[in-house]
Amino acid sequence: MLKFDEELFLKLVEKEGLTFRGKIESIVDEISNKGYSNIFLIGAGGTIAMMYPYEYILKSNSTINVHAEIASEFMVMNHQHFSKDSVCIFSSVSGTTEETVAAAKFCKEKGAATIALVAEPNTPLTQAVDYCITTGSEKHSFDTFFMLLYMFIFRFMYNNDEFPQYEQFTKEVSFLPQAILNAVKSFDQKAEEFAINHKDTEYHMMVGSGNLWGNTYSYAMCILEEMQWIHAKSIHAAEFFHGTLELVVEDTSVILLKGEDETRPLVDRVERFVKKITKNLTIIDTKDFELEGISEEFRKHFAVSINWAVLSRISVYLERERNHPLDLRRYYRKVEY
């Protein structure tokens, strides 16, 4: 596979990522024993998008009060649910994202418990929080962060007497890296074909829902727009029929991200409609992947990781076909704004 080192992937995500289970449980148990009022999931750009799946999971599976907030907006909105009794979780690959670092410092100064997931050690975010998991590598960082967030969120639920299946779930988390690798391998040819067919496509609609909404938002914004300079719009399947449907014509590229949670029928509805109109429909469905060792009960949660990993293969081939490096920027971290 183009630009994919299987051995490195398993080393970073499986062997090293899974070693953090004990530390994560210790952090969550300490906070749970002290007591807390709510959980804030805070990020910017791709990292707030990364938090949306876990906000959805908590809202639909737990009574724990949760808020996913964009860091810079959180800092100016005087959030009335935030207090010294809040738990605030942040993530940043570089550990230098200004808005996220500022929010972390603010929350800690107010007395809230602060946790961060960071790839790069000894960076501003690692020093701004009470607890930090530092993975040590930017490679496959999102795959690792997703896995670590499963451990955090479901441990909080377990400690809240809401998830007695925790031990089985965590055991299946250990199967996730290999399941991701198998999914990536099986999807790779389709990813390459998509990139070849769409190298000159100027506009994509990306549609998703439920715990895949964050991936939908992130891929359209961070990959297609930021990294490839392609016009894209992320559309929630529940809102597709309130405006966006009027822009679909026979050559519109529509990318549907189908997961396995309760909102799947919302994407099915969009699929039925757009199939009648466009000839450029792409469906990426986690049900198409065999996840060895993963039970039917937990597939819906792990769909987040599977979906992101296979989308990432499209990115690699778009880079090649468009001769547009994924790290090329006009403005981001290039100019003052």
Side-chain angles (χ1 to χ4, degrees):
M1 292 187 293
L2 181 65
K3 288 191 174 182
F4 193 94
D5 185 327
E6 294 182 28
E7 185 176 341
L8 179 63
F9 172 82
L10 290 175
K11 177 179 182 291
L12 295 175
V13 182
E14 180 180 49
K15 294 179 181 177
E16 296 185 8
L18 291 171
T19 63
F20 291 113
R21 175 184 173 179
K23 184 175 181 179
I24 290 170
E25 290 180 346
S26 178
I27 293 169
V28 175
D29 292 352
E30 182 179 332
I31 292 171
S32 298
N33 289 334
K34 290 180 181 177
Y36 63 94
S37 60
N38 50 34
I39 295 177
F40 277 75
L41 306 172
I42 301 174
T47 58
I48 184 56
M50 173 185 289
M51 298 300 191
Y52 290 146
Y54 301 94
E55 180 190 39
Y56 176 86
I57 287 169
L58 281 171
K59 282 184 173 180
S60 56
N61 293 274
S62 172
T63 59
I64 296 171
N65 190 277
V66 60
H67 306 271
E69 302 293 345
I70 301 169
S72 55
E73 183 176 49
F74 170 77
M75 290 290 287
V76 298
M77 71 184 296
N78 190 27
H79 204 299
Q80 294 299 295
H81 293 273
F82 171 75
S83 74
K84 64 179 179 57
D85 298 317
S86 297
V87 178
C88 303
I89 304 177
F90 308 86
S91 65
S92 171
V93 175
S94 68
T96 62
T97 309
E98 290 184 11
E99 305 100 303
T100 304
V101 173
K105 290 180 178 178
F106 171 82
C107 293
K108 185 176 180 180
E109 288 170 0
K110 296 295 183 180
T114 52
I115 304 167
L117 305 179
V118 185
E120 293 295 328
N122 303 315
T123 49
L125 185 56
T126 67
Q127 299 160 14
V129 295
D130 300 308
Y131 310 96
C132 188
I133 302 291
T134 306
T135 61
S137 175
E138 292 191 7
K139 291 278 189 179
H140 303 294
S141 53
F142 267 48
D143 295 306
T144 306
F145 285 0
F146 277 134
M147 192 169 65
L148 300 178
L149 284 166
Y150 287 128
M151 297 186 207
F152 270 109
I153 295 307
F154 282 90
R155 186 68 178 187
F156 274 113
M157 288 171 55
Y158 172 72
N159 287 350
N160 203 45
D161 296 326
E162 293 178 319
F163 194 66
Q165 316 97 305
Y166 175 78
E167 284 299 329
Q168 180 59 34
F169 178 82
T170 308
K171 179 181 178 182
E172 294 187 22
V173 170
S174 69
F175 301 143
L176 187 55
Q178 188 62 55
I180 292 172
L181 180 56
N182 293 341
V184 163
K185 287 180 177 179
S186 68
F187 185 76
D188 197 65
Q189 183 177 343
K190 292 180 180 178
E192 183 175 19
E193 290 171 356
F194 178 92
I196 292 170
N197 293 335
H198 286 282
K199 63 181 180 180
D200 297 320
T201 299
E202 296 180 349
Y203 172 66
H204 297 278
M205 290 183 180
M206 291 201 70
V207 183
S209 65
N211 62 20
L212 292 191
W213 168 242
N215 289 6
T216 310
Y217 174 67
S218 182
Y219 199 82
M221 175 177 63
C222 298
I223 308 300
L224 295 180
E225 291 181 338
E226 179 182 326
M227 298 185 183
Q228 286 296 296
W229 304 352
I230 298 172
H231 293 279
K233 179 176 174 61
S234 53
I235 309 129
H236 198 291
E239 288 288 275
F240 183 85
F241 295 97
H242 297 273
T244 307
L245 80 166
E246 293 295 341
L247 297 180
V248 182
V249 292
E250 67 175 5
D251 64 347
T252 304
S253 172
V254 179
I255 305 169
L256 299 185
L257 304 186
K258 300 187 74 170
E260 301 174 52
D261 65 27
E262 305 79 5
T263 69
R264 185 180 174 92
L266 301 178
V267 186
D268 288 338
R269 182 187 179 205
V270 176
E271 180 183 349
R272 289 193 297 270
F273 175 80
V274 298
K275 270 184 174 178
K276 301 173 185 176
I277 302 170
T278 184
K279 297 177 181 177
N280 279 328
L281 173 62
T282 302
I283 300 173
I284 301 174
D285 189 347
T286 61
K287 274 194 173 182
D288 292 340
F289 302 106
E290 180 181 350
L291 309 183
E292 187 175 349
I294 307 297
S295 63
E296 193 65 29
E297 179 182 8
F298 301 140
R299 281 185 63 103
K300 67 178 182 179
H301 302 310
F302 295 137
V304 180
S305 290
I306 300 300
N307 174 267
W308 185 257
V310 298
L311 281 174
S312 298
R313 296 309 299 157
I314 292 177
S315 310
V316 173
Y317 288 111
L318 280 175
E319 176 182 53
R320 183 192 72 187
E321 293 301 314
R322 292 169 50 78
N323 192 29
H324 187 117
L326 292 169
D327 59 1
L328 178 64
R329 303 289 186 276
R330 288 192 185 101
Y331 313 116
Y332 184 63
R333 300 199 179 198
K334 296 285 188 182
V335 299
E336 291 294 326
Y337 47 79

